[in-house]
Amino acid sequence: MKQFLDRFDQSSIWVRIFILALLMLVLMMGLVVARSMQRSQQAKTTITAPSKSSTSTSSKSPEEEAMEKAEEAVKKAEDEQNEGNLRTAKEKVDDLPDGDRKNELMNRLQTVASALGLDLQGLSAASSSSSQEEVVPAASSAAPVTPAASQVAPQVEQPVYSQPQYVVEQPTQPIIVETVPEAPVASTPASE
């Protein structure tokens, strides 16, 4: 190895450049080949992924399907935050059996509800009363439709904070007292 490095040091600049260029070319070709293999692997993964899910959906139990539908509803409620999506997701999560997964989905819904300024527990009571109201057939007269009390978002008054009052005092001129320094007293030795 040492002999090779010595010969490399003694060679001309053009030979060195050629060897370095050759090494760079080999490195670049290796990167290109690795990248193409990675892309072909990703293409195989995306092609086989839908076929796996299509065969697995037919063999899923009703609990797993309910879990997936509830999770999709929660994701939609997180993406498009509104009361309708939140109510739909809560109904689907309420239908799930108790467990860790249900608690996780309820926590995610609680986060969305707090972001919207709604009470998740009050939403379920309001949704049951509004569903009872929807069952009653509407009168045949063309009366204007008013939203139910549960459909109107409550407005929460924000407290008004007053700005603290800072007293800015005007700077005063310092009083300058002129003092005269005392002259040092020179001590003379007593001659006796």
Side-chain angles (χ1 to χ4, degrees):
M1 183 74 167
K2 185 174 175 151
Q3 290 175 349
F4 175 75
L5 293 175
D6 288 339
R7 290 187 77 182
F8 186 75
D9 285 341
Q10 293 172 358
S11 63
S12 70
I13 189 74
W14 295 109
V15 172
R16 291 180 190 178
I17 291 174
F18 176 74
I19 291 173
L20 290 176
L22 187 65
L23 289 173
M24 292 291 288
L25 182 67
V26 169
L27 179 66
M28 296 292 268
M29 291 302 294
L31 290 174
V32 168
V33 169
R35 184 73 170 187
S36 65
M37 291 176 74
Q38 181 183 14
R39 286 185 182 163
S40 66
Q41 184 66 26
Q42 286 177 350
K44 288 179 184 177
T45 304
T46 56
I47 291 171
T48 58
S51 64
K52 287 182 182 178
S53 65
S54 63
T55 59
S56 62
T57 55
S58 61
S59 64
K60 288 185 181 176
S61 67
E63 293 85 16
E64 291 174 350
E65 288 180 11
M67 184 69 73
E68 282 185 6
K69 287 181 182 178
E71 189 164 346
E72 288 173 6
V74 170
K75 179 136 180 73
K76 183 176 181 182
E78 289 173 338
D79 293 340
E80 302 170 15
Q81 294 185 357
N82 61 42
E83 187 176 350
N85 289 342
L86 185 65
R87 183 174 291 139
T88 303
K90 180 157 182 0
E91 289 171 0
K92 290 185 180 184
V93 171
D94 284 341
D95 293 340
L96 296 176
D98 290 337
D100 292 336
R101 190 71 181 135
K102 180 177 179 178
N103 292 339
E104 178 190 344
L105 293 175
M106 287 300 285
N107 289 339
R108 288 170 58 187
L109 285 178
Q110 183 62 42
T111 305
V112 173
S114 63
L116 291 173
L118 300 173
D119 180 29
L120 191 62
Q121 302 303 327
L123 186 66
S124 63
S127 66
S128 63
S129 65
S130 67
S131 64
Q132 291 173 355
E133 291 172 3
E134 293 171 359
V135 173
V136 177
S140 61
S141 67
V145 178
T146 58
S150 64
Q151 294 174 342
V152 177
Q155 293 187 357
V156 179
E157 284 190 36
Q158 297 294 327
V160 177
Y161 297 107
S162 62
Q163 293 286 337
Q165 299 296 322
Y166 295 105
V167 177
V168 179
E169 295 181 15
Q170 296 293 329
T172 58
Q173 293 290 335
I175 299 174
I176 301 174
V177 177
E178 292 185 26
T179 59
V180 178
E182 293 181 22
V185 179
S187 61
T188 58
S191 48
E192 285 183 25

